[in-house]
Amino acid sequence: MKKIILGLLIGTSAFAAHQVEFNLNDKEVEGQVLFDLSKMGVPLEGAYAGARILNGDERNSDKIENISQFKEVSFLIMRPVKSVEGLSLGLGIKGVYTKFDGAHYSAIPLGLEANMKLPLATPFPLHVNGALYYAPSDLTFLDGDKYLEVRTYLDAEVIHNKHIEVGYRNIDPDLISHPYSSHNVTYNEAFYGGLRLDF
């Protein structure tokens, strides 16, 4: 946990990240840094590049007994939907890698992301967010077969550029073979709370 937090703080300062996020539950810590490429001279509105590390725990996994960190790099283009006030949609691609139970897993999932500012009269803005990423067998490598990730979370911007989050994630990397079952395993399924800082 300390290594993840320290690494994200160093990365944020060294590379001028535009967003840093920490998510926690009683077993795990997850951290992410995100770079707004349009602020770095890239002529592409709503383009983001990021990196994420999840220090997974076997108690939030299914059919896994020996688990390693889940590592991810990502690219996302997010744009507002003009016909729906407060809604933004995005298309993303990730590269993910992890190890568990002697298997090496890698995939390049494609996905959709959504962010909706809720039209509620609250003291601070509320947003509901969701993400769905999938990789078929052709985009899954090493001992992997398929990949599916689902995320949803609610965030409240309690102070300008400072968000509190409550969310749920399910990361499901299928394998070509697994000693305890058929191909289906769940790397992580958990609820979490977190903090996001925008710069």
Side-chain angles (χ1 to χ4, degrees):
M1 181 182 300
K2 293 178 181 178
K3 290 180 181 178
I4 292 175
I5 294 174
L6 182 60
L8 286 172
L9 290 175
I10 291 172
T12 300
S13 59
F15 299 104
H18 300 103
Q19 187 182 103
V20 61
E21 177 182 340
F22 300 101
N23 296 319
L24 304 164
N25 56 37
D26 61 335
K27 301 177 182 67
E28 299 156 329
V29 61
E30 180 181 43
Q32 176 181 240
V33 292
L34 200 64
F35 303 88
D36 185 343
L37 299 181
S38 65
K39 295 181 179 179
M40 303 173 72
V42 177
L44 189 59
E45 181 185 353
Y48 301 89
R52 182 190 301 268
I53 297 177
L54 169 60
N55 191 28
D57 189 284
E58 290 89 347
R59 291 170 291 179
N60 280 337
S61 300
D62 180 35
K63 302 169 185 170
I64 296 177
E65 294 184 357
N66 185 12
I67 200 168
S68 297
Q69 285 183 344
F70 186 89
K71 300 171 184 175
E72 167 193 309
V73 293
S74 63
F75 177 78
L76 173 70
I77 295 180
M78 198 85 172
R79 299 281 175 82
V81 178
K82 295 181 180 179
S83 59
V84 182
E85 185 177 355
L87 176 64
S88 295
L89 296 177
L91 296 174
I93 184 171
K94 296 182 178 186
V96 302
Y97 177 79
T98 189
K99 297 186 293 183
F100 49 85
D101 292 342
H104 293 253
Y105 185 92
S106 179
I108 305 176
L110 307 175
L112 300 171
E113 299 200 21
N115 174 286
M116 179 70 185
K117 182 179 180 181
L118 298 179
L120 301 175
T122 55
F124 36 77
L126 292 175
H127 295 255
V128 62
N129 305 267
L132 174 66
Y133 280 84
Y134 176 75
S137 298
D138 289 344
L139 292 177
T140 313
F141 310 101
L142 305 175
D143 298 315
D145 185 36
K146 293 182 178 68
Y147 178 87
L148 178 65
E149 178 182 345
V150 178
R151 287 178 180 267
T152 183
Y153 62 95
L154 177 72
D155 82 65
E157 189 177 1
V158 292
I159 303 173
H160 180 62
N161 287 339
K162 296 172 180 64
H163 302 250
I164 294 174
E165 300 178 344
V166 177
Y168 165 82
R169 63 176 172 252
N170 186 305
I171 300 173
D172 189 6
D174 291 352
L175 297 176
I176 296 172
S177 62
H178 191 273
Y180 306 114
S181 70
S182 59
H183 307 325
N184 300 319
V185 297
T186 298
Y187 175 88
N188 187 259
E189 182 176 15
F191 291 93
Y192 60 85
L195 174 66
R196 193 184 89 215
L197 306 177
D198 299 336
F199 301 97

